[in-house]
Amino acid sequence: MPKTLVLAEKPSVGKELARVLGCRRGGDGYLEGDRYVVTWALGHLVTLADPDVYDKKLEKWNMDDLPMLPEKMKLVVIPETARQYKVVANLMKRGDVSDLVIATDAGREGELVARWIMVKAGWNKPTRRLWISSQTDKAIREGFANLRPAKDYDNLFRSAQARSEADWLVGLNVTRALTCKFNAQLSAGRVQTPTLALVVERENEIRRFVPKPYYGLKAELSGFRATWHDEKGNAHSFDRSRIEKLLAACTGKEAQITQISKMRKMTPPPAAYDLTELQRDANKKYAYSAKETLNCMQALYERHKALTYPRTDSRYISDDVVPTLPDRIRAVAQAEYKDLAHAVLRQRPMLTKYIVNNAKVTDHHAIIPTEEAAELYNLTGPERNVYDLVVRRFLAVLLPPFEYEEIRLTLKIGDQTFTASGKRVLDQGWKAAYNRSYDALEDEGDAEEEEQSLPDLQKGQRLPVKKLRLSEGQTAPPARYTEATLLTAMEHPPVSQVSDKQLRQILQETSGLGTPATRADIIEKLFSTFYIERSGKSLVPTSKGIQLVDLVPQELRSAELTARWEDRLARIAKGQERDSAFVAEMRTYATRLVKEVKASDATYTHDNQTRKPCPNCGKLLLLVKDKRGELLVCPDRDCGFRRRTTQITNARCPNCHKKLELWGEGDKQTFACACGYREKLIDFEARRKRDGAGKSDVRRYMAQQGQKTEANPAMADALAKWMAMNGKK
């Protein structure tokens, strides 16, 4: 009996599809049933070949061999996942497999994952496409009942492949040119470099900034406070003597209310989440990195089936999703959401005007709960927090606006004007979905006046002034980027990056720098290549990152290149332009960029160079910081030596309870804390033993160290010996 092969993007998704399709017989890398054979990729199994596949001499990085412009781009199997590729390829060649269903992620990159495997394996049988936004049983069954011909997505594949080939041509050529020219491990890319440029540009603004003192007047009256404003409405003056004169003129005088205005206002609920907005809020509230939030979302989508497809840039749903809303609300009607969910269900008709917008739904709708109730006790702490953000936003957007009365007072003290404002809540509306935590997610405003409760007052009423004081402050530089604000800047690049209005419009329509699916990895790469580092929640460019922005060709520093590419790629996806013409232009473009780097007279300085020689090649090592501490790195990319010198552990300081750093090597390893606490590793082990650390405590500590122990085997060995001596397994 002929069977249909189903190709998923990940094992977890493949196994869920197999369960719903009744495929219970296990194979090596696949599951089989009477009608279907389900297999999976591991992300990309096939990729564009490295330069040395075209010519062995390209194994060595040499400026004379640039630019690299293969006549025809080749595909190769990724060595790390070659075993699974062989499984998929053999299934495609089975005689009883009659057709294929592409079930990779529904998007440009997911299409590329499947198509490259099909091309490499030589697949030429009938193919259909599964396109779904959630992994619930219902969504899967409906998706298989409405499969579409794969040819409907041919142009999407051509667009994805053209993007990948262009990035290869530009990224690899410029990266090699920079590395060879400046004898340093430097890299550049269409999205990575302008993202780094945003952080560097902000740092330069901060360094150039000169603070300027300003002054104002504050009046304290019976039960409220008022702020001075000049005739132009300014609450500050840079002239201290002027404010001192006003203070003297107003001192000892009464305040008279000259105007009271009351205005009823309403604030509509915020739109549902797309991935970038969710990553922003998770960073603001929980300090999660964009990558951590995406990983939580993937688990909530694939494993727990509690939320819909995460890699979306839409904040709305389409009309066809509306009938499913009651089931989704019932699915979240548990724990602290129960009463609120039932209140939303009682609304007749249900308020959907703030979440439904067909015109703003692209490949996938907003992130919302599925119709399956989450087993909250099975969620990790971070997963629970991300789930909480999504559920509260989903319920909030289905509630009425927040209504309040804004009260504004204008007073005269002498001949000077003071104002005070307050707010009286009339209807909590959508804010009932939140405790007080929502305010923490909102950006800090620049309001000069604090919100306060105002007493019942009348126009013309005179009030004694309890206290009148001169207030002062300083103008502040722009804040450094956090991951939350950098994600915003990537999604909506500032005018400094894209001045052309038409290109800015294109970026608005194509989600800016990167995509919701790739921005987290781009930021992580800036950390791993030591172009940026963290200072608390702030992102700070390293000397290497600052220099790189000056060294790369001007066009690569701007988001305008991405705007032009995305415009062309969108036209390819719509069948309005040929992908071959775009790639041909990229060959010419890469050639020009390489010539520009070759002709540069700039220099690069390793200002983090130490006096310690590399044990492999003898070059002086560089001291660099990453998210886990400090390490020594060889500047020679062919050598690749690196050794960690300090790492941030999960052990806590007994004094201030902050995470301890582990310094040194071998027997000299020492825990250290910013508060001044020091403790040798051997003393740490003795203390753990004395305090009665159980087997689970040590095992948990070792698990938390995870990948960190590979960079510090001495610590791992020491803890392992301690466990062995004490009978711990």
Side-chain angles (χ1 to χ4, degrees):
M1 178 180 175
K3 294 187 177 182
T4 297
L5 181 63
V6 179
L7 175 60
E9 189 161 331
K10 303 179 188 72
S12 57
V13 176
K15 289 171 184 176
E16 285 305 312
L17 295 176
R19 180 182 60 78
V20 175
L21 296 174
C23 301
R24 296 180 177 83
R25 296 194 297 276
D28 183 9
Y30 68 96
L31 290 164
E32 188 167 354
D34 295 334
R35 292 182 54 198
Y36 296 96
V37 180
V38 180
T39 188
W40 44 82
L42 301 169
H44 278 285
L45 299 181
V46 175
T47 191
L48 292 174
D50 288 333
D52 61 323
V53 172
Y54 302 97
D55 192 331
K56 280 293 181 184
K57 73 176 183 179
L58 295 178
E59 287 182 349
K60 295 284 186 180
W61 289 34
N62 191 323
M63 185 71 90
D64 294 335
D65 296 328
L66 302 178
M68 304 173 292
L69 304 170
E71 289 185 15
K72 180 176 172 47
M73 305 298 279
K74 296 180 180 179
L75 294 175
V76 295
V77 176
I78 299 172
E80 293 79 5
T81 55
R83 180 177 178 183
Q84 184 60 21
Y85 167 78
K86 189 174 181 180
V87 169
V88 177
N90 287 339
L91 290 171
M92 287 183 172
K93 294 171 184 175
R94 264 178 44 171
D96 61 340
V97 169
S98 61
D99 62 318
L100 172 71
V101 172
I102 298 174
T104 49
D105 286 354
R108 188 166 74 182
E109 202 62 24
E111 197 68 25
L112 191 65
V113 167
R115 297 297 187 108
W116 272 356
I117 295 172
M118 293 159 61
V119 170
K120 189 66 177 172
W123 176 264
N124 57 9
K125 296 178 184 178
T127 310
R128 291 172 292 170
R129 189 44 158 118
L130 175 71
W131 197 274
I132 56 177
S133 291
S134 65
Q135 292 291 319
T136 64
D137 292 9
K138 179 182 177 183
I140 292 170
R141 291 192 183 98
E142 289 179 352
F144 271 88
N146 295 281
L147 294 171
R148 298 174 64 178
K151 66 180 182 180
D152 290 356
Y153 300 90
D154 284 350
N155 287 329
L156 182 65
F157 161 60
R158 294 187 184 103
S159 172
Q161 181 167 258
R163 191 274 311 157
S164 186
E165 292 183 0
D167 277 333
W168 191 103
L169 290 165
V170 173
L172 267 63
N173 274 297
V174 176
T175 292
R176 287 202 176 198
L178 289 167
T179 299
C180 294
K181 175 73 176 181
F182 300 107
N183 191 30
Q185 296 183 41
L186 301 174
S187 62
R190 171 181 58 90
V191 177
Q192 170 193 310
T193 305
T195 301
L196 173 61
L198 287 169
V199 181
V200 171
E201 181 182 305
R202 178 60 56 85
E203 189 68 20
N204 289 336
E205 289 175 15
I206 294 170
R207 292 180 181 182
R208 290 192 300 264
F209 183 82
V210 178
K212 192 174 180 181
Y214 60 81
Y215 310 93
L217 285 176
K218 298 284 186 181
E220 189 171 320
L221 301 103
S222 300
F224 68 100
R225 289 163 296 281
T227 302
W228 167 82
H229 286 80
D230 66 13
E231 60 277 2
K232 295 181 180 179
N234 299 316
H236 296 145
S237 172
F238 294 109
D239 185 350
R240 183 184 181 105
S241 62
R242 178 192 178 195
I243 300 300
E244 288 175 339
K245 289 176 182 176
L246 294 178
L247 175 62
C250 294
T251 299
K253 295 183 178 177
E254 282 188 320
Q256 182 177 16
I257 299 174
T258 59
Q259 188 176 349
I260 299 178
S261 65
K262 296 182 179 181
M263 186 176 295
R264 188 183 182 106
K265 292 188 174 183
M266 62 174 59
T267 305
Y273 280 123
D274 63 4
L275 178 58
T276 302
E277 181 72 5
L278 179 61
Q279 289 170 321
R280 273 195 288 264
D281 280 0
N283 181 257
K284 290 176 186 176
K285 187 172 183 182
Y286 302 112
Y288 294 160
S289 70
K291 187 69 173 177
E292 287 175 306
T293 302
L294 178 56
N295 289 341
C296 289
M297 270 300 308
Q298 285 293 142
L300 289 163
Y301 166 65
E302 294 176 5
R303 185 163 69 250
H304 302 294
K305 300 182 204 45
L307 300 179
T308 56
Y309 185 73
R311 298 166 188 258
T312 176
D313 59 0
S314 175
R315 302 185 65 183
Y316 298 89
I317 63 174
S318 49
D319 288 329
D320 60 331
V321 182
V322 174
T324 71
L325 291 179
D327 287 339
R328 296 175 193 270
I329 296 168
R330 292 186 191 98
V332 301
Q334 56 177 321
E336 64 264 42
Y337 319 115
K338 186 175 181 180
D339 292 343
L340 188 64
H342 287 158
V344 174
L345 282 172
R346 285 194 294 269
Q347 289 180 164
R348 288 294 181 271
M350 188 176 292
L351 187 64
T352 59
K353 67 178 182 177
Y354 297 114
I355 193 173
V356 178
N357 190 327
N358 291 336
K360 293 187 177 181
V361 177
T362 51
D363 293 339
H364 300 283
H365 59 64
I367 298 171
I368 59 176
T370 65
E371 299 97 320
E372 292 189 18
E375 296 176 338
L376 300 180
Y377 57 86
N378 278 335
L379 305 184
T380 65
E383 288 169 359
R384 182 73 174 83
N385 289 336
V386 171
Y387 179 77
D388 180 78
L389 285 172
V390 175
V391 170
R392 290 188 186 279
R393 178 62 61 89
F394 171 65
L395 294 173
V397 77
L398 294 171
L399 288 168
F402 169 68
E403 296 186 35
Y404 62 97
E405 183 179 61
E406 185 179 77
I407 307 167
R408 189 170 182 86
L409 303 179
T410 303
L411 310 93
K412 285 285 187 179
I413 302 178
D415 60 354
Q416 295 301 308
T417 301
F418 287 73
T419 64
S421 63
K423 182 186 290 185
R424 184 167 67 90
V425 176
L426 302 175
D427 186 346
Q428 282 283 2
W430 61 268
K431 286 200 173 186
Y434 293 91
N435 45 33
R436 295 179 181 177
S437 65
Y438 182 76
D439 292 337
L441 301 180
E442 296 181 300
D443 292 330
E444 293 182 5
D446 296 323
E448 302 289 355
E449 298 174 1
E450 58 182 309
E451 278 190 3
Q452 55 188 321
S453 296
L454 296 176
D456 190 17
L457 300 166
Q458 303 296 322
K459 183 177 178 180
Q461 186 174 347
R462 291 182 176 275
L463 303 168
V465 179
K466 291 185 174 181
K467 186 177 181 181
L468 191 65
R469 64 180 179 87
L470 182 146
S471 62
E472 55 185 307
Q474 282 191 331
T475 54
R480 285 191 173 95
Y481 283 111
T482 63
E483 283 207 37
T485 56
L486 183 58
L487 285 167
T488 300
M490 292 175 74
E491 187 177 27
H492 305 290
V495 175
S496 61
Q497 280 258 339
V498 188
S499 56
D500 184 277
K501 288 185 178 180
Q502 186 175 355
L503 294 177
R504 287 180 64 80
Q505 182 62 33
I506 292 169
L507 285 176
Q508 291 291 335
E509 294 171 355
T510 58
S511 79
L513 280 170
T515 66
T518 61
R519 289 190 191 112
D521 287 331
I522 292 163
I523 295 173
E524 289 298 312
K525 188 173 182 180
L526 293 177
F527 282 116
S528 65
T529 49
F530 313 116
Y531 293 145
I532 63 174
E533 57 191 26
R534 279 193 178 91
S535 175
K537 289 178 69 173
S538 299
L539 306 182
V540 182
T542 63
S543 171
K544 181 180 181 181
I546 292 170
Q547 291 186 79
L548 176 66
V549 169
D550 289 332
L551 296 176
V552 297
Q554 179 68 39
E555 290 177 63
L556 280 182
R557 305 174 202 174
S558 164
E560 289 191 358
L561 178 62
T562 287
R564 293 191 181 95
W565 280 28
E566 288 298 340
D567 183 42
R568 303 280 298 280
L569 294 171
R571 291 175 61 81
I572 294 169
K574 295 173 184 175
Q576 298 170 350
E577 184 174 337
R578 293 182 64 83
D579 55 321
S580 57
F582 173 73
V583 174
E585 286 185 32
M586 291 304 105
R587 293 170 183 273
T588 303
Y589 182 61
T591 301
R592 179 161 62 82
L593 292 178
V594 168
K595 287 180 179 177
E596 192 174 327
V597 174
K598 286 181 178 179
S600 172
D601 57 2
T603 57
Y604 178 82
T605 304
H606 290 294
D607 61 358
N608 59 338
Q609 192 175 71
T610 69
R611 295 185 177 182
K612 296 181 180 179
C614 174
N616 294 345
C617 68
K619 291 185 174 69
L620 294 180
L621 294 169
L622 308 177
L623 181 65
V624 298
K625 294 180 180 179
D626 66 2
K627 292 187 293 184
R628 288 163 38 204
E630 294 182 345
L631 62 164
L632 293 169
V633 177
C634 181
D636 189 334
R637 64 164 303 281
D638 290 329
C639 173
F641 173 83
R642 59 178 56 197
R643 182 177 71 231
R644 188 163 292 283
T645 58
T646 68
Q647 66 179 18
I648 300 170
T649 72
N650 285 300
R652 296 284 177 171
C653 173
N655 292 342
C656 66
H657 305 294
K658 292 181 179 178
K659 289 185 177 182
L660 291 168
E661 288 187 355
L662 189 63
W663 294 2
E665 299 175 24
D667 294 338
K668 296 181 179 179
Q669 284 184 291
T670 302
F671 284 108
C673 181
C675 73
Y677 176 80
R678 300 287 186 274
E679 183 179 28
K680 288 186 176 181
L681 176 61
I682 55 175
D683 295 331
F684 167 82
E685 294 169 355
R687 181 166 60 83
R688 298 279 290 192
K689 181 179 180 181
R690 184 177 65 251
D691 293 345
K695 177 169 60 177
S696 61
D697 295 324
V698 177
R699 184 175 297 160
R700 187 182 305 112
Y701 177 80
M702 293 291 290
Q704 287 173 333
Q705 296 306 301
Q707 299 174 348
K708 301 175 188 177
T709 54
E710 68 193 22
N712 205 329
M715 179 183 176
D717 291 345
L719 283 172
K721 289 176 184 176
W722 179 85
M723 292 170 70
M725 286 189 299
N726 290 276
K728 311 292 184 183
K729 296 183 181 179

